[in-house]
Structures are given as C-alpha cells and as structure tokens.
Amino acid sequence: MNKSGKEKISRIFDKDQQTKLDIYMQMILDWQPMLHLVSTNALQNLRKHILDSAYLLKFMDSELTSAKSENESFFGIKNITEQDQLNEPKSPELCKYILDFGSGNGFPGVILAILGLDVILVEIHKKKCIFLDEVKIKLELNNLQVYNSDIRNFNLQSSNSCKYKEIKYIVTKGFGKVDKCIEYTEHIWSEDTVGLFIKSNDVESELEQALTKWNFNHKILSRYMPGFVLELKNLRKI
C-alpha cells in the first residue's frame, strides 16, 4: 500500500484499531494457504479492502455508529473512539446489529467491528468460522458474534440474551447476485432494515432481475474500490 493509502487508514482508525488491523491482516496471510480466504490480487491489496469495508459507514446512521469525533476521515466518516462508545447509552432491552452474511474472510464485518459497531457474522463453512472465531479472540472484539450457519436458517432471536433484537443493516461482499442476496436473507428483514451490498459494475442487470421478484427502494451509491454499494430499503415480495 502506498503512503496515501496508509494515511487514509490512519485518518479513520485510531492506534489501537490500527494494531488490530495489522493482526487481522497477518492472520489472513497465515490462514490463506489452508482456506484461500482472498484472491491473489486481494492478498496484495488488503488495505484497499479494509478501506472499501470502512466506506460503508458513510451510508449508516450516525446514531448507530456513535460517530461523534470531530476528526473526519478522508471520505467524510468520523472516527469512532472508545470514549464515544462508553458515552453512548445502550438499552439492554434492544440490540441493533449489522449482519454480514457469507462472511468468509471477514470483509466487511470484521472491519466494522474493529470500528466499534455491533456485528454478527454468519458463515456456512466451519473452517472459515474457526478463522473468524480466532480473529474475534485475538482482536478482543466483544462486539462481534460469529455463527456457523446457512444464512437461510439463521435465527436472530436465538443469537444472544437481548430481549429485543433488530438487524439494522444487512451487508455482504462477494456473496452473489442481488436476487440471491435477498432470497437468502428475506426472513431476516424488517420494515426498518437496510441492505448495503458491495457490488461490481454489473449491478444494473442484477437489479433488473431482482425487481421481477421483489419490490424495494434502492440507490446505487459510490464505493471506495471500483464498483458500487447498492442500498435497499422497504423490501416487499411481489
């Protein structure tokens, strides 16, 4: 990563978070021969994928992210400090989560958890879940939950002890086409859930296909890497 990329990392993540990122990247390198977590190209550009994941914060409610720091990042995201999290009142009755499905290598969910958000990772492959569990332990991410499950069978209500649970955002990167992403997560959506799918340049054709099965409001948003972030709201089956 060039100097500019490192500077961008430092403007979003504090020193403790950067240390966790270094550990996370080394873990990907260590586990790569066994699990093939990322492509060869991605392996050489891990910091780009970190920034691509962090970019999702730009499209999330500040109430959820507790982003109160005055120091804004290079793309308008405010750094979430540990003190911000301590100062943010949280009700024990209601837990709001970001759900990352098909989590695999941890992008984008692990990055969002490092930034301080409450994240659930759902991954069907047991060995990749072992990797994600090790990431959680070594990075001391108590705000991260890992579930070895097919997302189609995932039950949010059994995920922890909170009385009321809500998925505020469903995120994914590289899982599949839009209609597949919706079909596999349809049972999780509520009227307030927002989908943020990191997509490549063929998003228009995928949208056209998905709209034959579901009604939803959508926006095609910018992305840090080439491609788009597809925002979906008000999902309804036709």
Side-chain angles (χ1 to χ4, degrees):
M1 172 61 66
N2 57 30
K3 183 178 179 181
S4 175
K6 290 182 179 179
E7 288 175 349
K8 290 172 181 178
I9 291 282
S10 66
R11 292 177 66 181
I12 304 168
F13 300 87
D14 63 29
K15 290 184 178 180
D16 179 64
Q17 292 166 345
Q18 289 178 56
T19 298
K20 291 180 178 181
L21 288 177
D22 290 339
I23 296 171
Y24 174 52
M25 287 189 287
Q26 185 59 52
M27 290 184 70
I28 290 177
L29 293 173
D30 293 342
W31 288 67
Q32 177 72 1
M34 180 172 61
L35 297 183
H36 190 65
L37 295 166
V38 297
S39 68
T40 301
N41 180 63
L43 197 65
Q44 299 170 354
N45 296 280
L46 290 178
R47 287 188 177 86
K48 283 187 177 180
H49 289 273
I50 288 169
L51 292 168
D52 197 39
S53 299
Y55 198 78
L56 289 180
L57 267 71
K58 185 174 183 178
F59 312 118
M60 294 181 177
D61 293 343
S62 59
E63 179 183 1
L64 178 67
T65 62
S66 305
K68 299 176 181 177
S69 173
E70 295 180 357
N71 297 320
E72 293 194 1
S73 76
F74 72 105
F75 46 57
I77 295 172
K78 295 180 178 180
N79 188 17
I80 305 171
T81 67
E82 183 177 355
Q83 189 60 44
D84 288 335
Q85 296 175 56
L86 292 174
N87 291 339
E88 181 70 12
K90 292 186 178 180
S91 169
E93 298 293 310
L94 175 62
C95 296
K96 293 186 178 183
Y97 297 104
I98 295 169
L99 185 141
D100 175 0
F101 67 99
S103 305
N105 54 35
F107 293 118
V110 167
I111 305 305
L112 298 175
I114 290 173
L115 283 165
L117 282 71
D118 294 318
V119 178
I120 295 173
L121 304 180
V122 180
E123 169 58 47
I124 194 171
H125 298 290
K126 186 174 182 178
K127 289 183 179 179
K128 290 183 179 179
C129 279
I130 293 173
F131 165 73
L132 294 171
D133 278 325
E134 284 295 308
V135 169
K136 171 184 169 70
I137 292 168
K138 288 194 175 182
L139 273 58
E140 298 180 348
L141 295 175
N142 295 326
N143 56 322
L144 181 68
Q145 301 177 49
V146 179
Y147 290 91
N148 180 201
S149 172
D150 187 322
I151 185 61
R152 291 170 290 187
N153 300 326
F154 178 72
N155 180 6
L156 173 65
Q157 298 309 313
S158 63
S159 61
N160 74 3
S161 59
C162 286
K163 185 174 181 180
Y164 302 109
K165 306 174 183 68
E166 176 183 313
I167 297 298
K168 180 60 179 177
Y169 292 97
I170 297 177
V171 302
T172 192
K173 181 175 182 177
F175 182 81
K177 293 184 178 181
V178 173
D179 62 340
K180 181 180 178 181
C181 291
I182 296 173
E183 179 184 348
Y184 279 37
T185 61
E186 183 182 9
H187 63 292
I188 299 172
W189 288 70
S190 70
E191 61 181 12
D192 296 322
T193 301
V194 178
L196 292 173
F197 301 158
I198 299 176
K199 302 298 297 177
S200 60
N201 289 314
D202 59 352
V203 66
E204 291 280 6
S205 60
E206 292 187 22
L207 267 174
E208 185 176 348
Q209 183 177 3
L211 284 167
T212 65
K213 303 176 183 178
W214 291 274
N215 288 321
F216 50 80
N217 302 112
H218 70 275
K219 293 180 182 178
I220 299 176
L221 306 167
S222 60
R223 180 182 169 187
Y224 178 74
M225 294 177 69
F228 303 95
V229 174
L230 178 61
E231 178 188 86
L232 303 181
K233 295 182 178 180
N234 304 317
L235 180 69
R236 305 171 303 280
K237 195 163 188 176
I238 294 177

